[in-house]
Amino acid sequence: MSISFSIIKKTLLAAGIVVAVQSCKVDIMPTDRYTEEAVWSNPANMELYVNGMYSEFKTFQFGVFPIGYDNATDALSDIEKYTSTVSGNGTVNILATDASRVNAAGPQLNYWQSGYTRIRRLNEFLDGLAKYAKVDETGKKQYEAEARFIRGYVYFWLVKLHGSVVLLDNIGQYLTTNHQRAAEEDCWKFIAADFAYAAENLPKQWDAARTGRATKGAAYGMLARTWIYAASIAENDKKQFNQDALTGVSAGNAQTYYQNAANAAKAVVDLANEGYYALETDFNNIFTNKNTKEAVFKLDFVAPQLTHNLDLGFAPPADAPGQCLVYGVPTAELVNEFEMSDGSKFSWSNTTQAASPYANREPRFYASILYNGASWKGRTINTTPDNVAEGFTEYAVTTEPRKTVTGYYIKKMLNPAVNNFVVNKSVQSWIELRYAEVLLIQAEAKAKLNDVTGAQDALNALRNKRGLPNTAASNTAQLMTAVEHERIVELAFEGHRYWDLRRWRKAHTVLNNVKFTGHKVTPSGASFKYEVVPCDNVNRQFTPALYYIPIPVGELQVNTALTQIKGW
């Protein structure tokens, strides 16, 4: 007798089905229920099941994880400020300023249960595929590759959070509920193995009927992302922040993992050279063009069946008076990062630049930020405090201001062509993996391998397409400064900054004991005065313990072999 399955509930994108799956082998096929063999030997069921597994990516669309609001992950960092002060809309502010709110008893930053539920379903699928599937060998490998791509992604998030987690890759392991965590390094290797298998067996492109499925390029891109995380932790952690025996990655393997990241990134670049991917000339166009070649892996939305609320959450108030929520806004720290149009660094100490701080900035600035004087949907944005509709308001004076608390609004990813998003919602694609990120991974890995020319080439390919000159960085330290800068401005509001600071082990300095800022703009004669003002009312907190999020205490109670991460 094989393992006994519980009823499997599968919510699919294409259809909803609930089947009772019996695992006992009998001579006569029961007629009042579905058997494992009947379910998994039906090609239509296989297709529906694997389609349904892709819904896991919606958990992370537009940076919604872990707070439950779009872009909330970036609001844990230095590039975005959420406007609310109260639990719910303002939960991200509470977490960013009170490290004690993250604990083993609390629900914050918790993906454990839902992640392992998805892993269970994927392992059931892989088991049925191996035993009963009636598809050819190529089809079987492709199905396995898709399932392992999704499983690798789920584990990637679990390991980003906890470092050391339980590894489950076959259904036989579910005969017992008692499993200890694996070493963090083994976890990264496990994830890499899933993405490597997917890269080997997925097609470069699917036919029109299967558009949106994982491809060879997506798998190589995720493999590159996996190895750059493992390499960063190997280099920067060195057991400085947690003494758990199972956390950490061997520092001696950093160079190997950087090379692995560079190799995987090159595989995506090779596909780009074949015409599958490319950088856009118009940065604005990337996020509203469903056919953009920058998208290596994305989620598409189609009204009215499948929509989201990005515009409702982040559009400036006058787009839909009284209804826009204005969850989060850019910080001055982010705004200051954008270069001048000639590639020089912006500085408030430069009197010419300070007099007109929004003039002659690089193209990504105008595509990402709405500032005082910006043109938007036929009007001029006015963020001066006297503007009732969408002017500056001090943070924490009102619990739900629904206006900017930094003097800026987010423009990136909003749809400039619509104002009916309150009723019709939004359909911009969520790009989980962009070709620009792959080039930045390649640049970082090459810099760490002391391949200065290779790192420069990757950075310059991106910068030149964004209308900027070649980087001036000429050694590893300078190149890493350049990479961090490019990741801030290129990937802003795409959910990377907080996790970058964590993997570089910079979060406890950048995000701790500091208040981030905005710019209060007021009329001054024929021009304006720009005043730096705090957008935090208390200091941010990031303690070293937060590099490894605790396992929810309830999981320790149901899995008696599982131990808590040391320090929690």
Side-chain angles (χ1 to χ4, degrees), residues 96-126:
T97 57
D98 185 357
S100 70
R101 293 300 186 104
V102 177
N103 55 69
Q108 290 89 358
L109 302 172
N110 181 8
Y111 178 54
W112 190 280
Q113 185 174 27
S114 58
Y116 277 103
T117 296
R118 182 65 70 187
I119 289 166
R120 169 69 181 259
R121 300 298 175 241
L122 288 162
N123 285 336
E124 287 173 343
F125 174 82
L126 289 168

Side-chain angles (χ1 to χ4, degrees), residues 95-299:
L95 292 176
T97 57
D98 185 357
S100 70
R101 293 300 186 104
V102 177
N103 55 69
Q108 290 89 358
L109 302 172
N110 181 8
Y111 178 54
W112 190 280
Q113 185 174 27
S114 58
Y116 277 103
T117 296
R118 182 65 70 187
I119 289 166
R120 169 69 181 259
R121 300 298 175 241
L122 288 162
N123 285 336
E124 287 173 343
F125 174 82
L126 289 168
D127 184 69
L129 175 70
K131 291 179 180 177
Y132 307 115
K134 293 184 178 179
V135 294
D136 61 29
E137 195 61 27
T138 298
K140 185 176 288 189
K141 286 183 177 179
Q142 285 183 348
Y143 275 134
E144 181 178 351
E146 287 186 270
R148 291 183 66 174
F149 177 87
I150 301 167
R151 188 176 69 182
Y153 184 79
V154 173
Y155 266 118
F156 182 82
W157 272 98
L158 287 167
V159 176
K160 276 205 301 186
L161 285 164
H162 306 286
S164 164
V165 301
V166 176
L167 295 180
L168 300 170
D169 69 347
N170 69 80
I171 207 66
Q173 293 170 291
Y174 293 91
L175 289 169
T176 175
T177 59
N178 299 321
H179 301 281
Q180 172 60 310
R181 295 178 282 118
E184 180 177 0
E185 190 155 11
D186 290 337
C187 292
W188 289 117
K189 290 178 179 178
F190 181 92
I191 296 165
D194 270 354
F195 287 135
Y197 183 90
E200 182 70 23
N201 293 286
L202 287 171
K204 295 178 181 179
Q205 191 173 50
W206 291 96
D207 57 34
R210 292 184 174 185
T211 186
R213 305 272 278 266
T215 61
K216 187 177 293 293
Y220 274 124
M222 288 303 304
L223 182 60
R225 189 190 281 179
T226 298
W227 282 126
I228 206 69
Y229 268 74
S232 301
I233 294 167
E235 179 181 5
N236 298 304
D237 185 75
K238 297 177 182 176
K239 302 299 291 184
Q240 300 173 82
F241 309 104
N242 185 280
Q243 296 306 308
D244 190 285
L246 296 174
T247 61
V249 179
S250 173
N253 289 331
Q255 289 290 290
T256 298
Y257 297 160
Y258 281 125
Q259 186 63 62
N260 291 348
N263 293 344
K266 182 182 183 300
V268 184
V269 173
D270 289 344
L271 289 167
N273 291 335
E274 293 179 31
Y276 291 100
Y277 312 112
L279 294 172
E280 295 276 4
T281 302
D282 182 0
F283 193 73
N284 272 302
N285 193 48
I286 298 169
F287 306 100
T288 54
N289 174 15
K290 290 187 178 296
N291 297 314
T292 177
K293 281 197 169 184
E294 284 220 16
V296 180
F297 185 69
K298 65 185 174 76
L299 298 183

Side-chain angles (χ1 to χ4, degrees), residues 253-403:
N253 289 331
Q255 289 290 290
T256 298
Y257 297 160
Y258 281 125
Q259 186 63 62
N260 291 348
N263 293 344
K266 182 182 183 300
V268 184
V269 173
D270 289 344
L271 289 167
N273 291 335
E274 293 179 31
Y276 291 100
Y277 312 112
L279 294 172
E280 295 276 4
T281 302
D282 182 0
F283 193 73
N284 272 302
N285 193 48
I286 298 169
F287 306 100
T288 54
N289 174 15
K290 290 187 178 296
N291 297 314
T292 177
K293 281 197 169 184
E294 284 220 16
V296 180
F297 185 69
K298 65 185 174 76
L299 298 183
D300 283 333
F301 296 83
V302 180
Q305 299 93 341
L306 196 60
T307 58
H308 56 82
N309 284 310
L310 185 74
D311 292 278
L312 178 64
F314 294 91
D319 277 21
Q323 299 181 85
C324 292
L325 302 174
V326 193
Y327 288 141
V329 292
T331 62
E333 282 73 19
L334 172 62
V335 169
N336 293 343
E337 279 285 329
F338 289 94
E339 297 173 20
M340 303 302 291
S341 59
D342 63 0
S344 60
K345 185 175 176 60
F346 171 82
S347 173
W348 287 98
S349 298
N350 182 311
T351 55
T352 301
Q353 293 176 1
S356 300
Y358 311 132
N360 301 315
R361 301 293 284 272
E362 63 161 289
R364 288 177 296 193
F365 172 77
Y366 299 108
S368 303
I369 308 294
L370 289 172
Y371 52 90
N372 186 64
S375 178
W376 177 247
K377 295 185 177 179
R379 69 181 189 276
T380 298
I381 296 291
N382 181 347
T383 65
T384 62
D386 290 340
N387 184 279
V388 176
E390 49 198 10
F392 170 86
T393 185
E394 185 179 344
Y395 176 70
V397 170
T398 305
T399 57
E400 297 281 4
R402 296 191 175 185
K403 291 199 299 183

Side-chain angles (χ1 to χ4, degrees), residues 508-534:
H508 68 290
T509 56
V510 175
L511 304 180
N512 191 56
N513 197 31
V514 63
K515 294 177 183 177
F516 296 122
T517 63
H519 291 130
K520 181 179 179 182
V521 184
T522 54
S524 178
S527 59
F528 293 95
K529 175 186 174 183
Y530 303 91
E531 179 186 357
V532 178
V533 292

Side-chain angles (χ1 to χ4, degrees), residues 255 258-259 262-263 266 439-460 471 473-480 483:
Q255 289 290 290
Y258 281 125
Q259 186 63 62
N263 293 344
K266 182 182 183 300
L439 289 176
L440 289 169
I441 292 171
Q442 185 180 51
E444 182 175 348
K446 293 282 190 178
K448 290 297 187 178
L449 294 167
N450 202 31
D451 180 356
V452 171
T453 300
Q456 289 172 331
D457 288 345
L459 281 174
N460 292 338
T471 181
S474 59
N475 59 46
T476 296
Q478 292 173 357
L479 284 164
M480 280 307 300
V483 165

